[in-house]
Amino acid sequence: MTSVEEPARPGVRVRDGARTKAEILDVATQEFARAGFDGARVDEIAARTRTTKRMIYYYFGGKEQLFTAVLERAYGVVREAEQQLDVEHLDPVAAIRRLAELTFDHHERHPDFIRLVSIENIHDAEHIAASEKLGRIGSPALEVIRRILAAGQESGLFTADADAVDLHAMISSFCFFRVANRHTFGALFGRDLVDPARRERYRTMLGDMVIAYLTAERAGG
């Protein structure tokens, strides 16, 4: 197969290449979130961008690699938000509430991220497991949670057996469920979990649940 032609001027090539890749990732995110990995078509992604299927393969190598790149960027957005979180000036209770609110806000603003994670779980996280980038990306939120828990435990506000990963799962599960299960929950119970009129109630409820867990006395034995 012949090589893909690119603009001759290096500066233009870099700018055009970065812009084209970003555009492909934008459309691919929408297509994978809409149709799933199996249902998404590279032809459709190419048709909705200013490029060709051949160019998509040039930049990403194939459908598998394109989906992995979409996941890497989606998780990168989460990690960037976590890195910008500043709770050092807050007491442990206010700090953990702020972190829970950050997750709540992010998941609400990025429903495609929720769909992509759901799709990747259907595929047993095989793309994430194979990604060196995602293996290195870690979670800044876990380090923040550990520091908050340490401060809260030292002050006697939080129980000593609270675990950062467990707490991260607790926060994420509520935020994820609220967006991922919006339609089924609404059909079954007649309540829209992302109704703007109930938003602050749920946002506050999440913080209350987390703080209640951290400050509750554990049964002995």
Side-chain angles (χ1 to χ4, degrees):
M1 184 175 70
T2 57
S3 62
V4 177
E5 293 182 1
E6 293 189 89
R9 289 177 293 169
V12 175
R13 181 172 62 220
V14 171
R15 288 194 298 273
D16 286 354
R19 184 166 58 243
T20 299
K21 289 178 72 174
E23 183 179 354
I24 292 169
L25 287 172
D26 287 342
V27 174
T29 295
Q30 297 168 9
E31 180 64 10
F32 282 122
R34 180 192 68 82
F37 176 78
D38 293 330
R41 296 288 177 265
V42 177
D43 286 324
E44 176 67 19
I45 295 169
R48 292 176 54 197
T49 59
R50 295 172 296 176
T51 187
T52 63
K53 183 177 180 180
R54 183 183 179 193
M55 186 66 82
I56 291 174
Y57 285 142
Y58 174 87
Y59 283 123
F60 297 99
K63 183 179 176 181
E64 293 267 359
Q65 294 92 329
L66 177 58
F67 184 62
T68 299
V70 165
L71 288 172
E72 289 172 347
R73 189 175 71 159
Y75 275 99
V77 171
V78 180
R79 300 302 176 251
E80 183 177 353
E82 291 174 350
Q83 288 173 338
Q84 294 175 357
L85 179 65
D86 179 16
V87 295
E88 300 301 326
H89 61 292
L90 300 175
D91 66 81
V93 171
I96 205 68
R97 185 182 289 276
R98 179 68 193 94
L99 186 141
E101 290 171 349
L102 173 78
T103 306
F104 184 98
D105 294 343
H106 176 274
H107 284 25
E108 181 181 70
R109 288 196 301 264
H110 297 86
D112 281 354
F113 172 74
I114 304 300
R115 297 188 187 100
L116 291 169
V117 173
S118 298
I119 291 162
E120 179 64 353
N121 272 286
I122 291 172
H123 291 270
D124 299 324
E126 60 185 24
H127 302 91
I128 290 178
S131 168
E132 292 185 8
K133 184 174 182 179
L134 286 172
R136 297 192 308 266
I137 201 170
S139 175
L142 284 180
E143 290 306 314
V144 175
I145 292 173
R146 289 187 181 104
R147 292 199 300 271
I148 296 171
L149 288 180
Q153 289 162 352
E154 183 178 354
S155 66
L157 289 170
F158 295 164
T159 55
D161 63 343
D163 176 80
V165 175
D166 288 345
L167 194 63
H168 183 63
M170 179 182 181
I171 294 169
S172 296
S173 61
F174 179 86
C175 299
F176 195 96
F177 182 96
R178 178 172 169 265
V179 179
N181 292 52
R182 170 188 182 181
H183 299 294
T184 52
F185 195 90
L188 290 170
F189 302 106
R191 179 167 295 178
D192 184 358
L193 292 173
V194 297
D195 180 356
R198 294 179 179 272
R199 181 180 189 276
E200 286 308 311
R201 175 183 175 178
Y202 289 136
R203 196 169 184 262
T204 300
M205 187 171 76
L206 170 63
D208 290 345
M209 287 192 299
V210 172
I211 293 165
Y213 170 75
L214 290 174
T215 57
E217 291 186 7
R218 303 285 190 265

mmCIF file of all heavy atoms in Angstrom, residues 172-199:
data_model
loop_
_atom_site.group_PDB
_atom_site.id
_atom_site.type_symbol
_atom_site.label_atom_id
_atom_site.label_comp_id
_atom_site.label_asym_id
_atom_site.label_seq_id
_atom_site.Cartn_x
_atom_site.Cartn_y
_atom_site.Cartn_z
ATOM 1 N N SER A 172 -17.717 7.155 42.849
ATOM 2 C CA SER A 172 -17.900 6.931 41.416
ATOM 3 C C SER A 172 -19.189 6.176 41.120
ATOM 4 O O SER A 172 -19.850 6.437 40.110
ATOM 5 C CB SER A 172 -16.708 6.162 40.845
ATOM 6 O OG SER A 172 -15.529 6.920 40.951
ATOM 7 N N SER A 173 -19.546 5.217 41.995
ATOM 8 C CA SER A 173 -20.716 4.385 41.723
ATOM 9 C C SER A 173 -21.990 5.223 41.689
ATOM 10 O O SER A 173 -22.840 5.038 40.806
ATOM 11 C CB SER A 173 -20.831 3.272 42.762
ATOM 12 O OG SER A 173 -20.985 3.800 44.068
ATOM 13 N N PHE A 174 -22.140 6.144 42.619
ATOM 14 C CA PHE A 174 -23.329 6.992 42.629
ATOM 15 C C PHE A 174 -23.355 7.895 41.398
ATOM 16 O O PHE A 174 -24.388 8.018 40.714
ATOM 17 C CB PHE A 174 -23.381 7.835 43.898
ATOM 18 C CG PHE A 174 -24.581 8.750 43.968
ATOM 19 C CD1 PHE A 174 -25.778 8.291 44.471
ATOM 20 C CD2 PHE A 174 -24.494 10.067 43.530
ATOM 21 C CE1 PHE A 174 -26.896 9.134 44.530
ATOM 22 C CE2 PHE A 174 -25.589 10.909 43.585
ATOM 23 C CZ PHE A 174 -26.800 10.440 44.086
ATOM 24 N N CYS A 175 -22.223 8.523 41.104
ATOM 25 C CA CYS A 175 -22.150 9.451 39.974
ATOM 26 C C CYS A 175 -22.373 8.729 38.652
ATOM 27 O O CYS A 175 -23.048 9.242 37.746
ATOM 28 C CB CYS A 175 -20.803 10.165 39.973
ATOM 29 S SG CYS A 175 -20.496 11.149 41.459
ATOM 30 N N PHE A 176 -21.795 7.543 38.535
ATOM 31 C CA PHE A 176 -21.924 6.755 37.310
ATOM 32 C C PHE A 176 -23.362 6.274 37.131
ATOM 33 O O PHE A 176 -23.944 6.393 36.049
ATOM 34 C CB PHE A 176 -20.972 5.559 37.376
ATOM 35 C CG PHE A 176 -20.751 4.872 36.066
ATOM 36 C CD1 PHE A 176 -19.651 5.188 35.279
ATOM 37 C CD2 PHE A 176 -21.629 3.899 35.600
ATOM 38 C CE1 PHE A 176 -19.437 4.558 34.068
ATOM 39 C CE2 PHE A 176 -21.424 3.267 34.398
ATOM 40 C CZ PHE A 176 -20.321 3.596 33.626
ATOM 41 N N PHE A 177 -23.953 5.714 38.182
ATOM 42 C CA PHE A 177 -25.313 5.195 38.123
ATOM 43 C C PHE A 177 -26.291 6.282 37.704
ATOM 44 O O PHE A 177 -27.192 6.056 36.893
ATOM 45 C CB PHE A 177 -25.710 4.626 39.487
ATOM 46 C CG PHE A 177 -27.089 4.024 39.516
ATOM 47 C CD1 PHE A 177 -27.275 2.661 39.334
ATOM 48 C CD2 PHE A 177 -28.207 4.826 39.739
ATOM 49 C CE1 PHE A 177 -28.551 2.109 39.362
ATOM 50 C CE2 PHE A 177 -29.486 4.283 39.765
ATOM 51 C CZ PHE A 177 -29.654 2.916 39.573
ATOM 52 N N ARG A 178 -26.120 7.462 38.266
ATOM 53 C CA ARG A 178 -27.051 8.557 37.998
ATOM 54 C C ARG A 178 -27.146 8.879 36.511
ATOM 55 O O ARG A 178 -28.241 9.178 35.992
ATOM 56 C CB ARG A 178 -26.590 9.791 38.784
ATOM 57 C CG ARG A 178 -27.430 11.030 38.558
ATOM 58 C CD ARG A 178 -27.021 12.142 39.506
ATOM 59 N NE ARG A 178 -27.646 13.393 39.122
ATOM 60 C CZ ARG A 178 -27.062 14.315 38.356
ATOM 61 N NH1 ARG A 178 -25.808 14.130 37.928
ATOM 62 N NH2 ARG A 178 -27.689 15.429 38.038
ATOM 63 N N VAL A 179 -26.029 8.799 35.807
ATOM 64 C CA VAL A 179 -26.023 9.107 34.369
ATOM 65 C C VAL A 179 -26.311 7.855 33.533
ATOM 66 O O VAL A 179 -27.154 7.877 32.631
ATOM 67 C CB VAL A 179 -24.671 9.722 33.948
ATOM 68 C CG1 VAL A 179 -24.642 10.014 32.455
ATOM 69 C CG2 VAL A 179 -24.403 10.995 34.742
ATOM 70 N N ALA A 180 -25.627 6.747 33.852
ATOM 71 C CA ALA A 180 -25.755 5.533 33.040
ATOM 72 C C ALA A 180 -27.151 4.934 33.102
ATOM 73 O O ALA A 180 -27.654 4.386 32.118
ATOM 74 C CB ALA A 180 -24.720 4.500 33.492
ATOM 75 N N ASN A 181 -27.799 5.008 34.263
ATOM 76 C CA ASN A 181 -29.092 4.362 34.460
ATOM 77 C C ASN A 181 -30.255 5.343 34.445
ATOM 78 O O ASN A 181 -31.357 5.013 34.889
ATOM 79 C CB ASN A 181 -29.088 3.591 35.779
ATOM 80 C CG ASN A 181 -28.166 2.398 35.754
ATOM 81 O OD1 ASN A 181 -27.003 2.525 35.400
ATOM 82 N ND2 ASN A 181 -28.657 1.245 36.139
ATOM 83 N N ARG A 182 -30.006 6.504 33.913
ATOM 84 C CA ARG A 182 -31.040 7.541 33.903
ATOM 85 C C ARG A 182 -32.338 7.046 33.263
ATOM 86 O O ARG A 182 -33.427 7.204 33.821
ATOM 87 C CB ARG A 182 -30.519 8.767 33.157
ATOM 88 C CG ARG A 182 -31.584 9.806 32.890
ATOM 89 C CD ARG A 182 -31.095 10.909 31.985
ATOM 90 N NE ARG A 182 -32.106 11.916 31.776
ATOM 91 C CZ ARG A 182 -31.940 12.983 30.999
ATOM 92 N NH1 ARG A 182 -30.786 13.178 30.377
ATOM 93 N NH2 ARG A 182 -32.915 13.865 30.854
ATOM 94 N N HIS A 183 -32.237 6.438 32.109
ATOM 95 C CA HIS A 183 -33.438 6.090 31.349
ATOM 96 C C HIS A 183 -34.166 4.883 31.941
ATOM 97 O O HIS A 183 -35.411 4.898 32.048
ATOM 98 C CB HIS A 183 -33.067 5.843 29.890
ATOM 99 C CG HIS A 183 -32.458 7.044 29.227
ATOM 100 N ND1 HIS A 183 -33.159 8.205 28.991
ATOM 101 C CD2 HIS A 183 -31.197 7.272 28.765
ATOM 102 C CE1 HIS A 183 -32.373 9.099 28.423
ATOM 103 N NE2 HIS A 183 -31.179 8.553 28.273
ATOM 104 N N THR A 184 -33.434 3.842 32.330
ATOM 105 C CA THR A 184 -34.094 2.682 32.919
ATOM 106 C C THR A 184 -34.705 3.037 34.269
ATOM 107 O O THR A 184 -35.811 2.606 34.599
ATOM 108 C CB THR A 184 -33.111 1.509 33.089
ATOM 109 O OG1 THR A 184 -31.933 1.969 33.786
ATOM 110 C CG2 THR A 184 -32.697 0.950 31.740
ATOM 111 N N PHE A 185 -33.990 3.823 35.057
ATOM 112 C CA PHE A 185 -34.504 4.247 36.364
ATOM 113 C C PHE A 185 -35.767 5.078 36.188
ATOM 114 O O PHE A 185 -36.754 4.908 36.924
ATOM 115 C CB PHE A 185 -33.434 5.042 37.113
ATOM 116 C CG PHE A 185 -33.714 5.215 38.576
ATOM 117 C CD1 PHE A 185 -33.258 4.280 39.491
ATOM 118 C CD2 PHE A 185 -34.425 6.318 39.045
ATOM 119 C CE1 PHE A 185 -33.512 4.426 40.854
ATOM 120 C CE2 PHE A 185 -34.684 6.471 40.403
ATOM 121 C CZ PHE A 185 -34.228 5.533 41.312
ATOM 122 N N GLY A 186 -35.758 5.956 35.199
ATOM 123 C CA GLY A 186 -36.922 6.791 34.937
ATOM 124 C C GLY A 186 -38.120 5.975 34.479
ATOM 125 O O GLY A 186 -39.262 6.231 34.887
ATOM 126 N N ALA A 187 -37.860 4.971 33.624
ATOM 127 C CA ALA A 187 -38.946 4.126 33.137
ATOM 128 C C ALA A 187 -39.560 3.297 34.251
ATOM 129 O O ALA A 187 -40.773 3.056 34.285
ATOM 130 C CB ALA A 187 -38.428 3.214 32.024
ATOM 131 N N LEU A 188 -38.734 2.845 35.184
ATOM 132 C CA LEU A 188 -39.204 1.985 36.271
ATOM 133 C C LEU A 188 -39.830 2.767 37.419
ATOM 134 O O LEU A 188 -40.810 2.315 38.028
ATOM 135 C CB LEU A 188 -38.044 1.143 36.806
ATOM 136 C CG LEU A 188 -37.511 0.044 35.876
ATOM 137 C CD1 LEU A 188 -36.216 -0.530 36.427
ATOM 138 C CD2 LEU A 188 -38.552 -1.059 35.702
ATOM 139 N N PHE A 189 -39.253 3.926 37.744
ATOM 140 C CA PHE A 189 -39.675 4.639 38.946
ATOM 141 C C PHE A 189 -40.242 6.033 38.675
ATOM 142 O O PHE A 189 -40.639 6.729 39.616
ATOM 143 C CB PHE A 189 -38.501 4.749 39.925
ATOM 144 C CG PHE A 189 -37.938 3.410 40.329
ATOM 145 C CD1 PHE A 189 -36.721 2.978 39.821
ATOM 146 C CD2 PHE A 189 -38.631 2.577 41.187
ATOM 147 C CE1 PHE A 189 -36.201 1.742 40.175
ATOM 148 C CE2 PHE A 189 -38.123 1.338 41.548
ATOM 149 C CZ PHE A 189 -36.910 0.918 41.041
ATOM 150 N N GLY A 190 -40.249 6.433 37.411
ATOM 151 C CA GLY A 190 -40.848 7.713 37.072
ATOM 152 C C GLY A 190 -40.093 8.921 37.585
ATOM 153 O O GLY A 190 -40.685 9.982 37.817
ATOM 154 N N ARG A 191 -38.782 8.771 37.764
ATOM 155 C CA ARG A 191 -37.979 9.894 38.252
ATOM 156 C C ARG A 191 -36.712 10.030 37.411
ATOM 157 O O ARG A 191 -35.976 9.070 37.235
ATOM 158 C CB ARG A 191 -37.598 9.701 39.720
ATOM 159 C CG ARG A 191 -36.729 10.829 40.282
ATOM 160 C CD ARG A 191 -36.644 10.782 41.783
ATOM 161 N NE ARG A 191 -37.957 11.026 42.394
ATOM 162 C CZ ARG A 191 -38.171 11.002 43.706
ATOM 163 N NH1 ARG A 191 -37.179 10.742 44.536
ATOM 164 N NH2 ARG A 191 -39.372 11.240 44.179
ATOM 165 N N ASP A 192 -36.474 11.229 36.916
ATOM 166 C CA ASP A 192 -35.295 11.516 36.110
ATOM 167 C C ASP A 192 -34.145 11.918 37.038
ATOM 168 O O ASP A 192 -34.200 12.976 37.679
ATOM 169 C CB ASP A 192 -35.600 12.641 35.122
ATOM 170 C CG ASP A 192 -34.448 12.943 34.184
ATOM 171 O OD1 ASP A 192 -33.378 12.301 34.322
ATOM 172 O OD2 ASP A 192 -34.605 13.814 33.313
ATOM 173 N N LEU A 193 -33.119 11.081 37.098
ATOM 174 C CA LEU A 193 -32.006 11.325 38.012
ATOM 175 C C LEU A 193 -31.173 12.543 37.629
ATOM 176 O O LEU A 193 -30.398 13.042 38.446
ATOM 177 C CB LEU A 193 -31.114 10.086 38.095
ATOM 178 C CG LEU A 193 -31.739 8.863 38.770
ATOM 179 C CD1 LEU A 193 -30.813 7.658 38.641
ATOM 180 C CD2 LEU A 193 -32.037 9.149 40.236
ATOM 181 N N VAL A 194 -31.279 12.995 36.385
ATOM 182 C CA VAL A 194 -30.528 14.188 35.982
ATOM 183 C C VAL A 194 -31.447 15.389 35.758
ATOM 184 O O VAL A 194 -31.080 16.346 35.082
ATOM 185 C CB VAL A 194 -29.664 13.918 34.728
ATOM 186 C CG1 VAL A 194 -28.622 12.863 35.029
ATOM 187 C CG2 VAL A 194 -30.509 13.520 33.540
ATOM 188 N N ASP A 195 -32.609 15.343 36.345
ATOM 189 C CA ASP A 195 -33.528 16.482 36.309
ATOM 190 C C ASP A 195 -32.847 17.677 36.976
ATOM 191 O O ASP A 195 -32.419 17.593 38.136
ATOM 192 C CB ASP A 195 -34.805 16.114 37.069
ATOM 193 C CG ASP A 195 -35.827 17.246 37.099
ATOM 194 O OD1 ASP A 195 -35.529 18.354 36.588
ATOM 195 O OD2 ASP A 195 -36.932 17.029 37.629
ATOM 196 N N PRO A 196 -32.693 18.806 36.259
ATOM 197 C CA PRO A 196 -32.019 19.973 36.856
ATOM 198 C C PRO A 196 -32.630 20.419 38.177
ATOM 199 O O PRO A 196 -31.923 20.947 39.045
ATOM 200 C CB PRO A 196 -32.184 21.050 35.770
ATOM 201 C CG PRO A 196 -32.327 20.288 34.493
ATOM 202 C CD PRO A 196 -33.086 19.045 34.858
ATOM 203 N N ALA A 197 -33.934 20.207 38.347
ATOM 204 C CA ALA A 197 -34.595 20.633 39.575
ATOM 205 C C ALA A 197 -34.138 19.821 40.786
ATOM 206 O O ALA A 197 -34.261 20.284 41.927
ATOM 207 C CB ALA A 197 -36.115 20.512 39.412
ATOM 208 N N ARG A 198 -33.613 18.622 40.555
ATOM 209 C CA ARG A 198 -33.156 17.762 41.644
ATOM 210 C C ARG A 198 -31.630 17.703 41.743
ATOM 211 O O ARG A 198 -31.099 17.014 42.605
ATOM 212 C CB ARG A 198 -33.691 16.342 41.457
ATOM 213 C CG ARG A 198 -35.199 16.238 41.569
ATOM 214 C CD ARG A 198 -35.670 14.794 41.356
ATOM 215 N NE ARG A 198 -37.103 14.687 41.491
ATOM 216 C CZ ARG A 198 -37.746 14.467 42.632
ATOM 217 N NH1 ARG A 198 -37.053 14.307 43.744
ATOM 218 N NH2 ARG A 198 -39.060 14.402 42.675
ATOM 219 N N ARG A 199 -30.956 18.443 40.868
ATOM 220 C CA ARG A 199 -29.495 18.327 40.783
ATOM 221 C C ARG A 199 -28.809 18.621 42.111
ATOM 222 O O ARG A 199 -27.979 17.821 42.578
ATOM 223 C CB ARG A 199 -28.963 19.273 39.710
ATOM 224 C CG ARG A 199 -27.446 19.196 39.548
ATOM 225 C CD ARG A 199 -26.947 20.160 38.477
ATOM 226 N NE ARG A 199 -25.552 19.919 38.208
ATOM 227 C CZ ARG A 199 -24.546 20.434 38.917
ATOM 228 N NH1 ARG A 199 -24.798 21.225 39.960
ATOM 229 N NH2 ARG A 199 -23.287 20.158 38.589
#
